[in-house]
Amino acid sequence: MSGIEITQILPGILLGEGPHWMDDQQCLLFVDILKGDAHRYFLKTKRHQILHIEDAGSGDNVSIIIPIEGATDLFIVTVGRSLAVIHWSPSDPDNHTVKVKTVLHTVDAHLPNNRFNDGKCDPQGRLWAGTYACEKLSGEPVKHMGSLYCLDVDLTLTDRVNKVSVSNGLAWSLDKKTFYYNDSLAYSIDAFDYDDESSKICSRRTVLDYKTSGLQKDVPDGMCIDETGNLWVANFYGKKVICVDPKVGKIIHTVELPTQNVTSVCWGGEDYSTLFVTSAQTGLKTEELASQSAAGSIFAVNGLGVKGLPATNFRVNLQMLKNRINFED
């Protein structure tokens, strides 16, 4: 693809993940998982806020932050193995620490080494978020110990997929009939039939097999969908984002990035023509970090010739949420 412009908008993130564009404030949300921080970057003013979220009792990694629709300055977050709610206002100091206002659910109680990883809201505003297990000493993932959960708007939680190794990217087709999902250590992009009313999924199949598609060293990570129905997938270890046509299971575009460990993607900007990309310093050796000054940066990619769609916020039943927390705190 010609005419692509890649801009480094923020450096120095340890493990960037979970980008989410807030259209009403024209800002990018994302997290630094290992530091337990949420970030908010205002594109026009370049204001950069960092919010440290305290341990909610099941671990201190923060992997998701998504606005709660209709509730100003409230966000749903994953902290360790917990789904929780925080308050964060643009008027807060740019460097700030908060406790969670309430923990909605804590999962995988019998698996204390598990933590939440990637997550996103479906077209109905339900939150889907998955876990994985990490071996304490080596830091390596333990296969088949995680699950993919769905948090409904009435705050009920359902386990949708079991025996997940590293739960990662999620996207829904434009006709709301297909759910796309990445379990990173399956080395494939998979699809399920999806019922938008009930959130039930079935008939899992492979859209793109990494090993047979020339991506032997790459790991599928975060994912989003564009206005034409094509998938954009961050490739950890792969130094790139790929665009996949899921109808034919083929890679149709590749965007090379100046760092190896690319973690996630989302569409944003005034007209949703900017692809925001997160990356990580983790997983790189000392000499690799020395040669990759852009490792851990947040990038803005323009000139792709396609646009994305607005992200869905969490559409919780606000009365139920009010029963759980004090909005005035």
Side-chain angles (χ1 to χ4, degrees):
M1 299 177 73
S2 60
I4 295 177
E5 180 183 355
I6 300 173
T7 305
Q8 180 186 17
I9 59 174
L10 281 175
I13 307 302
L14 186 59
L15 178 52
E17 261 286 6
H20 182 103
W21 179 255
M22 291 185 66
D23 191 64
D24 60 338
Q25 296 186 32
Q26 289 290 292
C27 68
L28 180 69
L29 296 171
F30 64 94
V31 299
D32 191 333
I33 291 179
L34 297 183
K35 289 185 178 180
D37 293 341
H39 291 249
R40 181 161 47 191
Y41 180 76
F42 295 85
L43 200 60
K44 290 183 178 179
T45 65
K46 296 181 170 53
R47 182 185 181 190
H48 180 204
Q49 291 183 296
I50 303 174
L51 182 72
H52 182 71
I53 302 169
E54 293 187 357
D55 190 332
S58 64
D60 57 2
N61 297 137
V62 175
S63 63
I64 301 167
I65 178 167
I66 296 175
I68 294 175
E69 193 162 302
T72 304
D73 303 333
L74 287 180
F75 299 82
I76 188 162
V77 295
T78 49
V79 187
R81 291 181 289 106
S82 297
L83 291 154
V85 175
I86 63 163
H87 180 272
W88 189 18
S89 170
S91 63
D92 289 338
D94 285 355
N95 287 275
H96 186 47
T97 297
V98 295
K99 296 179 179 179
V100 302
K101 292 179 75 69
T102 187
V103 172
L104 301 174
H105 293 278
T106 298
V107 303
D108 299 356
H110 60 299
L111 298 168
N113 289 343
N114 278 23
R115 71 160 174 83
F116 272 109
N117 199 42
D118 205 355
K120 194 175 291 185
C121 290
D122 68 17
Q124 292 282 358
R126 296 171 288 237
L127 176 67
W128 295 65
T131 60
Y132 83 98
C134 194
E135 208 285 325
K136 270 194 171 182
L137 294 179
S138 69
E140 294 297 317
V142 181
K143 288 187 176 182
H144 310 309
M145 299 295 285
S147 296
L148 177 64
Y149 294 93
C150 177
L151 181 65
D152 213 326
V153 296
D154 63 359
L155 300 180
T156 59
L157 188 69
T158 306
D159 189 345
R160 290 294 185 202
V161 183
N162 299 123
K163 297 183 178 180
V164 174
S165 294
V166 179
S167 190
N168 239 314
L170 312 93
W172 288 264
S173 63
L174 304 185
D175 64 6
K176 305 178 186 179
K177 293 181 178 180
T178 306
F179 167 56
Y180 300 106
Y181 179 56
N182 295 340
D183 177 348
S184 289
L185 295 191
Y187 300 101
S188 64
I189 301 169
D190 290 350
F192 296 78
D193 291 343
Y194 166 73
D195 186 313
D196 190 44
E197 291 302 316
S198 69
S199 77
K200 291 181 180 179
I201 56 176
C202 64
S203 304
R204 187 172 187 168
R205 65 267 187 193
T206 297
V207 171
L208 184 79
D209 181 279
Y210 267 45
K211 300 301 185 183
T212 60
S213 299
L215 301 172
Q216 287 84 356
K217 295 182 179 180
D218 296 21
V219 176
D221 208 312
M223 175 168 59
C224 63
I225 196 165
D226 68 27
E227 63 182 356
T228 70
N230 291 330
L231 301 170
W232 295 77
V233 187
N235 280 24
F236 200 83
Y237 296 136
K239 207 174 182 179
K240 58 181 169 290
V241 172
I242 59 172
C243 177
V244 175
D245 182 345
K247 297 184 292 296
V248 296
K250 299 291 184 182
I251 300 169
I252 57 175
H253 301 300
T254 299
V255 179
E256 300 285 345
L257 276 298
T259 188
Q260 179 175 309
N261 293 344
V262 184
T263 56
S264 196
V265 286
C266 82
W267 293 100
E270 286 187 355
D271 61 354
Y272 286 91
S273 64
T274 299
L275 186 71
F276 292 102
V277 183
T278 56
S279 69
Q281 299 178 43
T282 54
L284 295 175
K285 298 176 182 177
T286 302
E287 59 270 23
E288 291 172 326
L289 280 171
S291 65
Q292 296 181 40
S293 60
S297 293
I298 311 300
F299 302 96
V301 183
N302 288 288
L304 292 170
V306 69
K307 297 179 182 180
L309 302 168
T312 306
N313 295 333
F314 184 44
R315 294 175 183 155
V316 64
N317 182 309
L318 288 178
Q319 187 55 54
M320 288 187 176
L321 192 60
K322 287 178 182 179
N323 292 338
R324 298 286 293 269
I325 64 176
N326 181 357
F327 271 40
E328 304 303 319
D329 284 351

PDB file of all heavy atoms in Angstrom, residues 50 84-85 94 198 265:
ATOM      1  N   ILE A  50      -2.441   9.891  32.785  1.00  0.00           N
ATOM      2  CA  ILE A  50      -2.130   8.526  33.230  1.00  0.00           C
ATOM      3  C   ILE A  50      -2.850   8.279  34.547  1.00  0.00           C
ATOM      4  O   ILE A  50      -2.714   9.054  35.496  1.00  0.00           O
ATOM      5  CB  ILE A  50      -0.622   8.312  33.415  1.00  0.00           C
ATOM      6  CG1 ILE A  50       0.128   8.619  32.108  1.00  0.00           C
ATOM      7  CG2 ILE A  50      -0.347   6.868  33.861  1.00  0.00           C
ATOM      8  CD1 ILE A  50       1.634   8.563  32.246  1.00  0.00           C
ATOM      9  N   ALA A  84     -14.360  -4.513  37.027  1.00  0.00           N
ATOM     10  CA  ALA A  84     -14.618  -3.469  38.022  1.00  0.00           C
ATOM     11  C   ALA A  84     -15.007  -2.167  37.334  1.00  0.00           C
ATOM     12  O   ALA A  84     -14.924  -2.022  36.112  1.00  0.00           O
ATOM     13  CB  ALA A  84     -13.381  -3.266  38.897  1.00  0.00           C
ATOM     14  N   VAL A  85     -15.430  -1.194  38.152  1.00  0.00           N
ATOM     15  CA  VAL A  85     -15.826   0.130  37.678  1.00  0.00           C
ATOM     16  C   VAL A  85     -14.953   1.172  38.362  1.00  0.00           C
ATOM     17  O   VAL A  85     -14.703   1.089  39.573  1.00  0.00           O
ATOM     18  CB  VAL A  85     -17.314   0.405  37.974  1.00  0.00           C
ATOM     19  CG1 VAL A  85     -17.691   1.835  37.592  1.00  0.00           C
ATOM     20  CG2 VAL A  85     -18.194  -0.596  37.234  1.00  0.00           C
ATOM     21  N   ASP A  94      -3.243  15.002  35.770  1.00  0.00           N
ATOM     22  CA  ASP A  94      -2.768  14.179  34.663  1.00  0.00           C
ATOM     23  C   ASP A  94      -2.094  12.899  35.137  1.00  0.00           C
ATOM     24  O   ASP A  94      -2.021  11.920  34.390  1.00  0.00           O
ATOM     25  CB  ASP A  94      -1.816  14.979  33.776  1.00  0.00           C
ATOM     26  CG  ASP A  94      -2.555  15.976  32.898  1.00  0.00           C
ATOM     27  OD1 ASP A  94      -3.805  15.964  32.911  1.00  0.00           O
ATOM     28  OD2 ASP A  94      -1.898  16.769  32.204  1.00  0.00           O
ATOM     29  N   SER A 198     -29.080 -12.940  21.668  1.00  0.00           N
ATOM     30  CA  SER A 198     -28.798 -13.771  22.845  1.00  0.00           C
ATOM     31  C   SER A 198     -27.333 -13.783  23.243  1.00  0.00           C
ATOM     32  O   SER A 198     -26.999 -14.199  24.357  1.00  0.00           O
ATOM     33  CB  SER A 198     -29.236 -15.209  22.569  1.00  0.00           C
ATOM     34  OG  SER A 198     -28.402 -15.807  21.590  1.00  0.00           O
ATOM     35  N   VAL A 265      -4.943  -2.868  17.941  1.00  0.00           N
ATOM     36  CA  VAL A 265      -5.330  -1.859  16.961  1.00  0.00           C
ATOM     37  C   VAL A 265      -6.754  -1.383  17.231  1.00  0.00           C
ATOM     38  O   VAL A 265      -7.588  -2.124  17.750  1.00  0.00           O
ATOM     39  CB  VAL A 265      -5.264  -2.425  15.521  1.00  0.00           C
ATOM     40  CG1 VAL A 265      -3.837  -2.563  15.043  1.00  0.00           C
ATOM     41  CG2 VAL A 265      -5.988  -3.768  15.415  1.00  0.00           C
TER      42      VAL A 265
END
